[in-house]
Amino acid sequence: MAKDNFVEQIADIETDFPQWYTDVVVKTKLVDYGPVKGTMVIRPYGYAIWENIQKEMDRRFKALGIENAYFPLLIPMSFMTKEAEHVEGFAPEVAVVTHAGGEKLAEPLCIRPTSETIIGSMYSKWIQSYRDLPVLMNQWANVMRWEKTTRPFLRTSEFLWQEGHTVHASEDEAMDETLKMLAVYEEFARTCLAMPVLTGRKTEKEKFAGAVATFGMEAMMHDGKSLQAGTTHYLGQNFAKAFDIRFLDKDGTLKYGYTTSFGVSTRLIGAIIMTHGDARGLVMPPVVAPVQAVIVPIASKKEGVMEACRALKEKLAAAGIRVVLDDSENSPGWKFNEWEMKGVPVRIELGPRDLEAGKCLLFRRDTLEKTECALDGAEQSVRTLLSQISENMYDRAKARMDSRIVRAGSLDELLAGVEGGNFVRAGWCGCRECEDKVKEFAQATARVLDGEKTSDTCVVCGKKAEHTVIFARAY
Ligand code: ZN
């Protein structure tokens, strides 16, 4: 097979990024399309990424005292209507079960789009006293949101996620939790996904339906568009009042609790693909890569080569490296291309001449550079290389994002900024009309508030700016 065959299968990343994405997710066998429009099948190579994300995230949650639980998929329709903003926000996306067991149900049941309502109803039973607080729980689950336009990992009618739900005795404590989890997400994205993000509060328009305040982390994709990669919500007493989550406080009075929720989903896999991918396909961040190193034997029929490859594989696996030995009948060139497309961080080439010299060749996917390494102690060399790749991928993505955040003093500048594939930092007066105007004029939305007030004027109306906003086109 010709050397470039795999690359030819993928659309050009610079000129047709949407097609590049579709080609990459299907051809590397991350996903396939489900029979129902808008659904996806997560194939083993894609699911392994999710398992690694889960493992890393779950470890962080448990270290913070968050426990896992599981709540039902079906929610009585009446629950959804208890919090006015919540039902309004989710109504267009909710799938409803009306029949079961061959009969029409007395009350329709909705398939969870998120679980604040059902979890709130249970918390109201479980929480009586201040001694029961805080409650810190998380569930790993699927949710369903009936989307009109869908793309694998980015927007599908069913997806996997984690949703954390906490209850606290005070406003301060709940807000601290909301911000703490945002920081956990940021650290996770940086350390495990090599993905730089901007974090901050969302505008009223962009906040979660039913929240008092939503905070998000936004990542810059290859085409300069933003992807919301995780959100945390301070829910105040909205859900506590709707579901009667009350506790007897130390002073003997009955008070409503303050709740939070936070989530990341299989969208993160889309974010990895579009942050790091290149013309050859995926570039997997080492911490969550399903395969961290692949061994490709050269002249495998020559005496001792396969034995040496197997021994090397065992040595790397024993050192905790996720390693594969590609002993298929395909040519080395074919294997190189396939594993490059799949984004495996390190390729190890081992042939008779290497064996004689007691070394092997390491190829790193992020920079496409080759180095030699001694077979003796190869596990340490590979481990060191994996962490260098992780750091380099983060630094590269960070430098790229930083270089593509521009300022705008007018709507025309804002439009030019987002059309050039940038995030645009601009002043905003805080009114909804101006936010809508940005959307209409530049097809851009307020991704996060920068936090600090500026002396700048609003990019739309010219009045005094109350906030600095990161505007971008978004997935
Ligand atoms: Zn304005």
Side-chain angles (χ1 to χ4, degrees), residues 244-319:
D244 200 30
I245 304 170
R246 284 191 288 179
F247 66 98
L248 196 62
D249 206 355
K250 283 174 191 162
D251 61 10
T253 63
L254 211 49
K255 292 174 182 169
Y256 287 108
Y258 295 82
T259 67
T260 82
S261 65
F262 43 90
V264 297
S265 71
T266 36
R267 245 193 159 206
L268 285 178
I269 300 173
I272 294 169
I273 298 164
M274 294 198 295
T275 298
H276 301 299
D278 66 13
R280 298 187 189 199
L282 300 174
V283 181
M284 288 303 305
V287 178
V288 298
V291 178
Q292 295 174 309
V294 58
I295 302 170
V296 176
I298 310 296
S300 58
K301 301 279 190 291
K302 290 269 164 63
E303 200 192 330
V305 171
M306 285 313 292
E307 288 76 1
C309 286
R310 279 188 212 106
L312 179 59
K313 184 196 166 186
E314 271 172 37
K315 192 158 69 170
L316 297 182

Side-chain angles (χ1 to χ4, degrees), residues 427-435 457-465:
W428 173 51
C429 64
C431 86
R432 178 68 181 259
E433 288 70 28
C434 289
E435 195 178 356
T457 52
C458 173
V459 71
V460 182
C461 68
K463 288 181 192 152
K464 186 178 175 297

Side-chain angles (χ1 to χ4, degrees), residues 225-374:
K225 282 164 80 173
S226 186
L227 186 135
Q228 180 174 293
T231 46
T232 71
H233 315 290
Y234 168 66
L235 304 172
Q237 293 181 318
N238 292 351
F239 286 88
K241 285 181 176 163
F243 290 92
D244 200 30
I245 304 170
R246 284 191 288 179
F247 66 98
L248 196 62
D249 206 355
K250 283 174 191 162
D251 61 10
T253 63
L254 211 49
K255 292 174 182 169
Y256 287 108
Y258 295 82
T259 67
T260 82
S261 65
F262 43 90
V264 297
S265 71
T266 36
R267 245 193 159 206
L268 285 178
I269 300 173
I272 294 169
I273 298 164
M274 294 198 295
T275 298
H276 301 299
D278 66 13
R280 298 187 189 199
L282 300 174
V283 181
M284 288 303 305
V287 178
V288 298
V291 178
Q292 295 174 309
V294 58
I295 302 170
V296 176
I298 310 296
S300 58
K301 301 279 190 291
K302 290 269 164 63
E303 200 192 330
V305 171
M306 285 313 292
E307 288 76 1
C309 286
R310 279 188 212 106
L312 179 59
K313 184 196 166 186
E314 271 172 37
K315 192 158 69 170
L316 297 182
I321 295 162
R322 294 189 288 275
V323 59
V324 162
L325 167 58
D326 188 347
D327 55 4
S328 68
E329 295 293 309
N330 298 317
S331 73
W334 198 93
K335 293 176 186 177
F336 291 176
N337 284 307
E338 181 172 35
W339 292 107
E340 277 173 27
M341 184 168 75
K342 289 172 100 70
V344 172
V346 177
R347 178 175 80 227
I348 306 166
E349 299 169 29
L350 181 53
R353 247 171 287 162
D354 304 304
L355 197 54
E356 220 166 89
K359 59 184 182 53
C360 57
L361 208 67
L362 303 181
F363 168 86
R364 52 188 285 186
R365 179 64 182 86
D366 62 332
T367 60
L368 311 174
E369 290 165 352
K370 284 183 180 187
T371 49
E372 282 185 349
C373 114

